[in-house]
Amino acid sequence: MDLGSSRTRAWAPGRGLLLDPFPGSGPHGGAERPVRRGRIVDPESCGRLLGRIADAALGPDRSDSVIVLSHPVLAGAEHRTAARALLAGLGTTRVVVLSSARAAAAYAGPREAGPLLVVDMGAELTEVTLLVGGLVADARQAESGLDDLDGLDPATLPTVLVRTVLDMITSMWRHDRHGAIRGALRKGPVLAGGGALRSDVTDQLARCLGTRVRLADDPSTTVVRGAGQILSSVLRHRPTPPERTGRPR
């Protein structure tokens, strides 16, 4: 699951991509918005939303089930704890919570090792994360996104969004003592989120950075598809339960 500010997406083996099938009523555009700026602000509403998706993806029997949930890379302990509690209430056997940057890297990142930069341009958050060895080495977050730029002149929006990303990368560069940012930029950053759907944004970012950028076929689902890949890996390595022969012990 990718619990976003504008939409919650899920991926299930054999089912593929799933969206919240029955959006509820609420103050924002007629739909519930239990997550704002990457934080769970309405646990009750969030629980209903997750329950609807679990019903669609898993059905009523959730025994021996696993859920992988992504969260913003700088989400605080309060958000992660609330998310775990809500998922535990769904009756699943195991919950894995990981950053959206790691999920995006799993789906759209290069296979070779080395530092990687992930830029996630969402509805209400913009994040830049440096991964080294698959772990978060540094990260920056701006509490603004595409929703905040809706009122801008369409010609101005790409420049504003790209400037936000460049400012965060520049800040990380200044604190990078080992050249990881330079190596990650040579490799090309992974772009995810709704902002990466706009070619005017991605083209301008590539020009300003002087490097190629890495895009999945649908950047808005990069995170949830990466979480799905991690889920598949968890399921493959899950211990096999002992075979029941029916013989008395």
Side-chain angles (χ1 to χ4, degrees):
M1 287 187 182
D2 175 24
L3 191 59
S5 299
S6 65
R7 183 136 207 191
T8 296
R9 298 174 174 88
W11 182 92
R15 299 288 304 277
L17 186 65
L18 297 165
L19 302 176
D20 179 13
F22 306 112
S25 60
H28 188 95
E32 290 178 315
R33 295 288 293 269
V35 178
R36 305 306 303 269
R37 308 290 179 196
R39 303 180 186 91
I40 296 174
V41 296
D42 186 346
E44 183 178 350
S45 174
C46 191
R48 289 195 299 268
L49 185 152
L50 294 175
R52 289 193 298 267
I53 293 180
D55 286 341
L58 302 175
D61 182 9
R62 294 160 196 172
S63 58
D64 199 31
S65 60
V66 180
I67 291 181
V68 174
L69 178 75
S70 70
H71 61 77
V73 67
L74 293 179
E78 184 177 354
H79 173 88
R80 297 194 301 271
T81 300
R84 284 183 180 277
L86 289 170
L87 292 174
L90 298 178
T92 57
T93 302
R94 183 180 177 188
V95 172
V96 178
V97 178
L98 76 163
S99 73
S100 56
R102 289 182 61 196
Y107 186 68
R111 301 300 90 174
E112 66 268 19
L116 182 66
L117 203 62
V118 178
V119 179
D120 192 347
M121 298 172 284
E124 295 185 344
L125 286 179
T126 304
E127 293 186 308
V128 178
T129 306
L130 174 66
L131 298 172
V132 177
L135 302 178
V136 176
D138 198 359
R140 298 289 187 276
Q141 182 187 85
E143 292 199 356
S144 62
L146 291 177
D147 283 2
D148 302 288
L149 305 178
D150 275 346
L152 292 180
D153 182 331
T156 304
L157 186 150
T159 301
V160 174
L161 185 53
V162 168
R163 174 49 55 193
T164 298
V165 172
L166 292 177
D167 286 347
M168 289 190 282
I169 293 176
T170 300
S171 174
M172 295 169 72
W173 185 295
R174 289 171 179 160
H175 291 84
D176 179 20
R177 297 178 180 275
H178 305 289
I181 288 288
R182 184 180 294 107
L185 287 175
R186 281 199 299 266
K187 190 178 299 181
V190 171
L191 306 187
L197 290 169
R198 298 184 54 121
S199 60
D200 51 357
V201 170
T202 59
D203 290 347
Q204 187 174 146
L205 187 58
R207 286 196 303 271
C208 290
L209 292 174
T211 187
R212 63 174 176 167
V213 294
R214 296 176 180 270
L215 289 165
D217 50 357
D218 179 8
S220 66
T221 62
T222 295
V223 170
V224 72
R225 292 180 189 275
Q229 288 191 352
I230 292 168
L231 170 64
S232 296
S233 177
V234 171
L235 294 176
R236 283 196 303 271
H237 294 91
R238 182 170 53 179
T240 303
E243 182 179 357
R244 295 182 180 180
T245 62
R247 299 173 183 172
R249 294 184 179 181

